[in-house]
Amino acid sequence: MLEINNLHAKIEDKDILKGINLNVKAGEVHAIMGPNGSGKSTLASVIAGREDYEVSEGNILLNNEDLEDLAPEERAHKGVFLSFQYPVEIPGVTVTNFIKTAINESRKANGHEELPAKEMLQKIREKAELLDIDRKFLSRSLNEGFSGGEKKRNEIFQMAMLEPKLSILDETDSGLDIDALKVVANGVNKLKSQDNAVVLITHYQRLLEYIVPDYVHVLHDGKIVKSGGKELALELEAKGYDWLK
Amino acid sequence: MSKYTEDDLKKELETKEYEYGFYTDIEADKFPVGLNEDIVRAISKKKNEPEWMTEWRLEAFRVWESMTEPEWANVNYPKPDFQGISYYSAPKQKPQLESLDQVDPELLKTFEKLGISIDEQKRLSNVAVDIVMDSVSVATTFKKTLGEKGIIFCPISEAIQEHPELVKKYIGSVVPTTDNYYAALNSAVFSDGSFCYIPKGVKCPMELSTYFRINEGGTGQFERTLVVADKGSYVSYLEGCTAPARDENQLHAAVVELIALDDAEIKYSTVQNWFPGDKDGKGGVFNFVTKRGLCETNAKISWTQVETGSAVTWKYPSCILKGNNSVGEFYSIAVTNNFQQADTGTKMIHLGKNTKSTIISKGISAGKSQNSYRGLVHVGSRAENARNFSQCDSLLMGNECGAHTFPYIEAKNKTAQIEHEATTSKIGEDQLFYCNQRGIDTDKAIALIVNGFSKEVLNKLPMEFAVEAQKLLEISLEGSVG
C-alpha cells in the first residue's frame, strides 16, 4: 500500500528526514516511535503533502503511484488520511458540515455524485454510534472549545466517515487521559480492516497497549534505526531511546 | 428559488472577472454634465414635481454648495469631479407596466442575466420587485396584492405625485438635507428610488425587494428610498445591487430613510455588489450612502448588510432610538479584496428609556484592501437603562491587507450598559492544510471558513438572499490566498 524509498526532506534548508525506507501493506498496523525531534511528525506531514517541506531525494508511492506531484487534497482523494496532533479550529463550521464537504469533495474528485443527504445522515449516525459520539457534538463548531479528548475523537470520527486506505495517526495519544485514550484506540481498532493500513506515530508505548502494531520502527535523527515486532515497543519502554543512538 | 449547488458555484468561479460586467444597450435620455440650480430645476421639472419638492431640492443644493467633501474616513480615492457628471439619465422608452411585453426587450435580457426575470419572480416567488434601471423605475409588480392591504410600494417619483402628504411629511425627517455632503447632494438631484408605506397594524405579507443598477457610463446614481411603517406594522425590505464593469469611476450616493412608528418593525437587508474595480484597482464604484432609521416607542429597526462590491464604500446604516423600549440592530459582513476600501459601520443613538441595540460586524479583508469598522454608540442623558452590545470581528487573508476598528462610545447616562468585543484572526496555513488534507481544495476551504466566520450575520438574512450572499462571498474571495 505505502512504499517509501530513501526519503529525504528538509524545511528551510534544514534536513529533517535523511533516508527513510518503509513498506506498509494493506491490513497492517505500523508504529513509528522515536524521541522528540527525530522527524516523526515531519514524516507524517510529508506523506500528506504539506508544502512547507521539500522532498530532496527519494519517493513515496501509494499503491504504486508516486505522490510527488499531487497536492494534499489530491492525496486525500486517493485515500490518505492524517489525524493531526493539533487539530485546528474552524469557528462557525459544524462538524457535520465539515465532514459533509470533505466527503463530497472526494467523491466529486473520484467521479462520483454527491452523497444524498439521507445517506449522509445515515452514515453520520452509524459512525457516531460506532465511536460512541454524542449527536450534539456533531452540531458544534469544528474543534472550537473542544477538550483534547474531543478533538482526537473528532479526528477518528472523520477517519471513520472518510474510510481512507492509509491512516496516519500523529501523536493521537498526546494530551489524552486513559479513558479518552481507550475510546480513541477502540475506534481505531473497529475501523481496521484487511483493505486499509494504519501508521501510528507515537512517543510512548502506552497507545500500543490498546492498538497492537504488527511492526514497530524507531526513528532517530531522520532515519529508521531499528525495526521489529510489537515487543520492540516494550523494550523501548524499559530502556528508553538512548541505547539505539 | 431552485437549490444552488456547488457545481453552479464552480461554473461561476470559472469566470473570475466581475460576472455582471455586461452593459445594456438602451438609449438614454441624458442631461448635459455639470450641476447648478438650473439642472436641479430641470430634474424636478422632468419629474413633473410640485413646487414644494422643487424648493426642497434647491434648498438642499444651496446647502451642498456650502459644504466640503468629508475626509475623515479611512479611505483614499481621487475626488469625483461633481461638475463632470450628468445628473439625470432615464431609459427613453418609458413603458406603462400593464404587461411585460411593454418592457424594452434589451432590459428584459438584462434582468435574465441577473437571474431576476420578472416573470419568474411573479410566478415562483413571493417577492414583489420594484426594479430601478438607471434612474427611473421601469417595472413594479405585485402592486395589486399589496394594494389590497393598503400597502403603498412604488417609485418615489410616483409617490410624490400620488401621496404628496406622506412624502412631504417624512422625506428628510430622518436624514435632513443638511446632514452631510452626499446626503445634501442626493436631496438636490435624486432621480428616483422607492417609497413604501405600511398602514397601521398591517404585516406586509411578502418581502419587498428592489434591484438597483447603474447603467449609463459616467452617470451618477442618486437613489432615494423612504420606508414608513405605521403603528404596529411590519415590513421586511430587500435591496440588492449589481453593476456593469466600467473603467471610469462611478459615483453612487444614495439616501435611505426608515421610519418605524410605535410598535412597528422594519427589517432592511442589503446585498451590495457594485463593481469593485479590477485586480489592479482600476475602475469601480464609489458608494457613499446615508442610511438611517428612526424608532418610535417599542419600535424596532434591523439593518443587515452584505457588502462585497464597490471600490470605495462609505456607509453607516444607523438607528435613532427615540422612543422608549425601542430596539436597533446592525448585522454586517463587509468583504474587501484587491484594492477595495471600505469604511463602514453604524450609529446607534439611544435617546429613549430602556432602548437596546446590537451591533455584529464581520469584516473580511484580502488582497491589498483596507477594511474599517467605524461605529458610534451614543447614550443620551435621558436614556435610562440603555443597553448596547457590539461585536466586531475581522478576518484577514494574506499579509498585505488591513483591518481597522474605530469604535466610538458616548454615554451621558450612568445607567447605560455598553459592551464591546473585538477579535482579529487570520486564515492560517494550518487551517488551509487541515482542510486540504481532508480533500477540500483551497478555494473551497476559504469559502467554508468565511461562511463559518460570517454565519451569525448570514443567518439574519431572508433565505433567498442568504443563498445569493453566500455565493457573493465565495466569488469575491476566489483565488485570494496562494
Side-chain angles (χ1 to χ4, degrees), chain A residues 25-76:
Chain A
K25 293 196 177 66
E28 291 178 350
V29 176
H30 287 239
I32 295 177
M33 302 184 70
N36 291 332
S38 57
K40 300 191 300 288
S41 286
T42 298
L43 179 61
S45 295
V46 170
I47 297 171
R50 183 146 200 166
E51 276 156 15
D52 307 351
Y53 298 95
E54 188 196 328
V55 173
S56 46
E57 224 184 307
N59 59 17
I60 305 168
L61 305 178
L62 183 75
N63 293 321
N64 299 317
E65 186 187 354
D66 196 331
L67 295 181
E68 189 177 345
D69 294 331
L70 298 184
E73 61 270 23
E74 292 171 312
R75 298 181 193 208

Side-chain angles (χ1 to χ4, degrees), chain B residues 457-472:
Chain B
V457 176
L458 288 173
N459 284 346
K460 296 290 173 188
L461 287 171
M463 248 324 256
E464 61 269 44
F465 240 32
V467 175
E468 192 176 328
Q470 215 157 340
K471 241 165 50 172
L472 275 181

Side-chain angles (χ1 to χ4, degrees), chain B residues 134-236:
Chain B
D134 259 17
S135 314
V136 171
S137 299
V138 289
T140 303
T141 50
F142 278 87
K143 218 170 163 176
K144 225 181 123 199
T145 325
L146 296 173
E148 282 161 11
K149 295 237 170 205
I151 294 167
I152 304 165
F153 181 42
C154 66
I156 198 158
S157 55
E158 194 182 312
I160 291 167
Q161 305 294 333
E162 295 182 11
H163 309 282
E165 70 298 340
L166 283 172
V167 178
K168 201 173 174 179
K169 183 169 178 190
Y170 291 110
I171 196 165
S173 67
V174 188
V175 181
T177 51
T178 52
D179 191 78
N180 69 70
Y181 189 79
Y182 306 113
L185 178 63
N186 174 288
S187 303
V189 303
F190 75 87
S191 39
D192 215 334
S194 295
F195 175 77
C196 173
Y197 172 79
I198 316 291
K200 272 181 200 160
V202 170
K203 190 174 185 301
C204 184
M206 60 188 77
E207 319 260 4
L208 299 182
S209 167
T210 314
Y211 282 80
F212 293 106
R213 250 179 98 72
I214 297 180
N215 200 294
E216 197 67 16
T219 307
Q221 181 118 356
F222 304 94
E223 299 293 344
R224 187 94 197 180
T225 304
L226 180 58
V227 179
V228 182
D230 211 329
K231 291 179 181 171
S233 68
Y234 168 85
V235 64
S236 168

